[in-house]
Amino acid sequence: QRDSTEQLGRDATVFWVLAVAGLVSSSATLWIAAQLFPTDDATWRGVRVFVASLTGTGVFWVGRYLIADRWLFADDPDDDGS
């Protein structure tokens, strides 16, 4: 059962750390794409932003799932079920 204040605090901390990490990851991916593929053409700039966002978000969500599955939603080994 997940009702302790300590567990709630841990879950909230992990959530916010991952949210900020997603923002940083997205911004970094867009910056890298802008450096690797500079262009003045609006169409290609839009494609670059779309692909960079999709890639950054996809990689981050896979990592976020693995982190959440391992630590956030993992069973507590010290919990005896009572």
Side-chain angles (χ1 to χ4, degrees):
Q1 194 170 1
R2 303 174 75 79
D3 59 356
S4 73
T5 303
E6 180 181 314
Q7 182 69 32
L8 182 61
R10 186 181 111 197
D11 291 353
T13 300
V14 171
F15 172 80
W16 282 108
V17 166
L18 290 174
V20 171
L23 176 64
V24 170
S25 172
S26 175
S27 298
T29 305
L30 290 172
W31 181 83
I32 290 168
Q35 300 305 310
L36 291 176
F37 307 107
T39 183
D40 290 330
D41 183 25
T43 301
W44 286 112
R45 187 175 29 231
V47 169
R48 178 185 68 200
V49 168
F50 175 74
V51 171
S53 294
L54 190 62
T55 302
T57 302
V59 169
F60 182 75
W61 271 91
V62 168
R64 183 175 171 167
Y65 169 77
L66 294 174
I67 289 170
D69 189 49
R70 173 164 291 203
W71 288 297
L72 187 59
F73 300 117
D75 292 330
D76 188 1
D78 296 331
D79 187 12
D80 61 0
S82 56

